[in-house]
Amino acid sequence: MEAQDDRAEEPVGYGGPGGKAEPGEDGGGGSEPRGIAGLSRPYQVVAALVLAGIGVLTAVHLAMVFLAVAPSNTVSKQYGAEIDDYVLPEFERNWKLFAPNPLQQNVAVQARAEIQAKDGSGRATSGWVDLSAQDGDAIRGNLFPSHVDQNELRRGWDFYVNSHDAENRAVGERGRLSERYVRRIVLLRLGEPKSGGTIERIQIRSATATIAAPPWSTEKTDTRTYYRALPWWTVVPADRTETGR
């Protein structure tokens, strides 16, 4: 019978006698490069290009936003249209809340419709519907009000006002776009006529009233309501398609 070897079995994977690791093994004198340096040459080039692209896009974004909020200067005057196209509407800023003289008016958007009778006998004009009041009712007391109820109609009307002159004439292509946008919002809000007829034309107006000064103020304000009525708009098939009717 062979004598049993009492020597402990040497650990596997730890190099030669004494437990020293061979150069190039884990824990030894060398280690494999990590990060981009550990990639093959083609992947290193791709990674470098991606990082460079991200850096360029970040720089362009910061520059555009800076020029949009900075005081008027030579660059912003020359490239104002390009800056607005990039910033609006995703990165738009609105300083009304923090302005020295914030908005002090209540603006309500109202609409009425000219409805063609179902039997074709004639047309009737509905009464004015306060669409802003509907949004207010949906928001008031609601812990989680809809973004649509809070902003869709209000921002749509601001879009129209800012792209039209005092005579309701469109200023540029954005003016025509705002007309289509507001018209479709109103059609969606009015819904189908209860009489079963068809809405052929709509008219929109704003009702603006200045908020009264607080009791402790000596400022005198005119709190009467002033209306801005737009011309009648004919409803086109594209409007009905977009609103699902």
Side-chain angles (χ1 to χ4, degrees), residues 106-111 128-140 148-155 157 185-186 189-190 204-208:
N106 286 324
V107 181
V109 179
Q110 304 170 350
W128 289 101
V129 179
D130 194 332
L131 305 180
S132 296
Q134 294 177 354
D135 285 347
D137 292 339
I139 295 170
R140 195 172 295 110
V148 171
D149 293 332
Q150 296 181 80
N151 296 313
E152 183 184 55
L153 180 63
R154 178 179 63 83
R155 294 296 300 275
W157 179 251
I185 291 176
V186 171
R189 298 295 183 89
L190 291 177
I204 306 169
R205 73 178 183 183
S206 65
T208 304

Side-chain angles (χ1 to χ4, degrees), residues 196-209:
T198 303
I199 296 178
E200 296 295 332
R201 297 199 303 167
I202 60 174
Q203 187 180 27
I204 306 169
R205 73 178 183 183
S206 65
T208 304

Side-chain angles (χ1 to χ4, degrees), residues 91-108:
F91 308 109
E92 181 184 9
R93 80 283 184 201
N94 191 324
W95 300 109
K96 289 182 179 179
L97 179 61
F98 305 100
N101 188 23
L103 184 64
Q104 299 178 353
Q105 294 177 324
N106 286 324
V107 181

Side-chain angles (χ1 to χ4, degrees), residues 215-233:
W216 46 262
S217 175
T218 59
E219 180 183 359
K220 297 186 181 297
T221 55
D222 181 3
T223 58
R224 291 177 296 178
T225 301
Y226 292 89
Y227 296 93
R228 175 180 178 177
L230 308 187
W232 281 93
W233 284 338

